[in-house]
Amino acid sequence: MELGIGMFGDLAVDPHTRKYKDAGIKIREILRQVKLMDEVGIDVFAMGEHHRPDYAVSSPEMVLAAAASLTKNIKLASGVTVLSSSEPVKVYEDFATLDLISDGRAEIYVGRGSFIESFPLYGYSLNDYEQLFDEKLDLLLKINAEENVSWTGKLRAPMENQTVYPRAKNNGKIPIWRAVGGTPQSVLSAAKLGMPLIVAIIGGMPIQFKNLIDFYKQEYIAAGHKESEMQLAIHSHTFVSDDQKVIDGYFQNYKSQMDRIGATRGWAPYTKMQYDGGKAKEGALFIGNASEVADKIAYMKEIFGITRFIGHMDVGAPENDIMIKSIELFGDKVAPTVR
């Protein structure tokens, strides 16, 4: 099983100015952290895409390309590319370029995203929410499979025997994962297409997703795809420290981010009871000491049969030195124990 770390580039609020901290500093910290991930043997790094003031990264491809020059082995993925509001030709070109820079380490996670800011930003209508994604995924998969593309849709101009360059290393093919939040229709689509699936499990109890993941496996095989080629991952909020005071203190980071997002979605304020419940074995938070986090990841392997785990590790913008220690523990203690 592959073990990875994901980030959104969360920006903390400066307590004195009440403004978000500098995005440039944050991005440079992320690059140093990815370099460390590579050094401690983490398999995958996934960088999210957001178009909001509280996140530093709107262009994962740029950050991943910079990370490619600092690393040797770690796979570099978007987590996720908001495909509904992206241009599939440009997505392929950018990630094919990343693939060449990194000598074949690029991956794309495609999804609808959990925020909608990119739709008005790029001039798309939310009325076309479903159709935009379906059409653009169809085109991206076709570009990934064929050098000369002919394609027709309803919301984008057709392509007639057009070529898309440069081509990625593996006969032009980049691994493209379908990222979902739990919608059965999305899972069914991924299974029929034979796409690797990554499920975001960030609340409640992971066992609640077992029927959904079993559904993916069933439909994947029913569609004629080889079970031996199936790839399945989960993406969950993660933080590692062997210092209980740090784990207790991280609650404030986590609460600040959950409350900031929740304020726009009608959520009740996040509580310590939720935090402690999430950290329990049955909960969805992979937050605790190295042994606790390793045991919980192994439990996910047991109940789901996952081939990859991505720990989303910068929720609430922990300070850089605390992030560094968490990454070191994930690579030096959690990963060897799980493996």
Side-chain angles (χ1 to χ4, degrees), residues 17-325:
T17 66
R18 305 308 302 168
K19 295 181 179 179
Y20 291 108
K21 292 188 176 180
D22 187 271
I25 293 173
K26 183 68 172 185
I27 290 171
R28 291 190 290 275
E29 288 176 350
I30 290 171
L31 292 174
R32 291 194 291 272
Q33 291 163 8
V34 180
K35 184 174 185 293
L36 175 61
M37 292 176 209
D38 192 50
E39 292 167 351
V40 298
I42 303 301
D43 297 305
V44 188
F45 171 65
M47 184 76 250
E49 172 192 339
H50 294 89
H51 304 268
R52 298 164 51 94
D54 47 345
Y55 296 105
V57 179
S58 61
S59 178
E61 304 90 332
M62 295 293 289
V63 175
L64 296 172
S69 66
L70 302 173
T71 57
K72 297 178 181 179
N73 300 305
I74 194 168
K75 294 177 182 177
L76 301 167
S78 58
V80 304
T81 294
V82 185
L83 190 60
S84 307
S85 56
S86 300
E87 166 50 51
V89 172
K90 190 68 166 65
V91 169
Y92 179 85
E93 289 174 338
D94 288 346
F95 279 90
T97 302
L98 171 63
D99 200 56
L100 297 176
I101 293 170
S102 64
D103 196 24
R105 293 185 278 134
E107 295 188 352
I108 311 172
Y109 296 171
V110 295
R112 292 178 171 86
S114 58
F115 299 97
I116 60 172
E117 287 82 3
S118 61
F119 285 81
L121 186 65
Y122 292 126
Y124 292 102
S125 171
L126 285 169
N127 294 330
D128 299 323
Y129 185 81
E130 298 288 344
Q131 190 173 0
L132 277 168
F133 183 85
D134 292 342
E135 277 201 6
K136 291 186 175 190
L137 178 59
D138 183 58
L139 178 53
L140 179 62
L141 293 176
K142 193 171 186 65
I143 294 168
N144 199 44
E146 303 172 13
E147 188 168 331
N148 296 301
V149 177
S150 294
W151 176 90
T152 301
K154 294 182 178 179
L155 299 175
R156 185 202 183 279
M159 296 179 67
E160 183 61 41
N161 195 33
Q162 291 179 292
T163 54
V164 181
Y165 295 118
R167 303 302 295 175
K169 280 202 66 175
N170 181 30
N171 295 318
K173 295 178 176 60
I174 302 167
I176 301 176
W177 293 64
R178 179 73 181 267
V180 303
T183 305
Q185 189 58 39
S186 298
V187 171
L188 177 61
S189 173
K192 287 184 174 181
L193 291 168
M195 295 181 69
L197 182 74
I198 181 163
V199 183
I201 302 179
I202 58 174
M205 296 184 293
I207 194 68
Q208 295 170 313
F209 287 79
K210 191 172 190 311
N211 287 342
L212 191 73
I213 290 174
D214 287 346
F215 175 59
Y216 169 77
K217 294 177 180 179
Q218 169 192 310
E219 295 300 323
Y220 182 97
I221 294 168
H225 305 296
K226 294 180 181 178
E227 185 174 4
S228 61
E229 296 177 358
M230 183 186 300
Q231 296 183 78
L232 177 62
I234 63 172
H235 170 116
S236 295
H237 293 165
T238 302
F239 190 76
V240 191
S241 176
D242 286 338
D243 185 339
Q244 188 59 43
K245 290 182 179 179
V246 173
I247 293 297
D248 291 341
Y250 180 61
F251 167 70
Q252 292 301 328
N253 294 81
Y254 197 81
K255 175 179 171 57
S256 68
Q257 185 70 344
M258 291 300 102
D259 287 350
R260 187 157 57 239
I261 295 170
T264 65
R265 299 183 177 184
W267 299 349
Y270 191 80
T271 68
K272 186 66 161 54
M273 185 179 295
Q274 286 176 281
Y275 185 70
D276 291 339
K279 291 194 287 114
K281 182 178 180 180
E282 297 78 15
L285 297 181
F286 291 71
I287 297 172
N289 63 43
S291 178
E292 290 167 339
V293 173
D295 286 348
K296 205 162 182 178
I297 295 172
Y299 179 51
M300 295 302 101
K301 174 71 171 178
E302 179 184 332
I303 63 175
F304 296 136
I306 55 174
T307 59
R308 178 180 289 187
F309 174 84
I310 301 291
H312 181 175
M313 201 177 279
D314 68 341
V315 180
E319 293 293 334
N320 182 58
D321 60 337
I322 297 177
M323 279 291 297
I324 290 293
K325 188 61 179 176

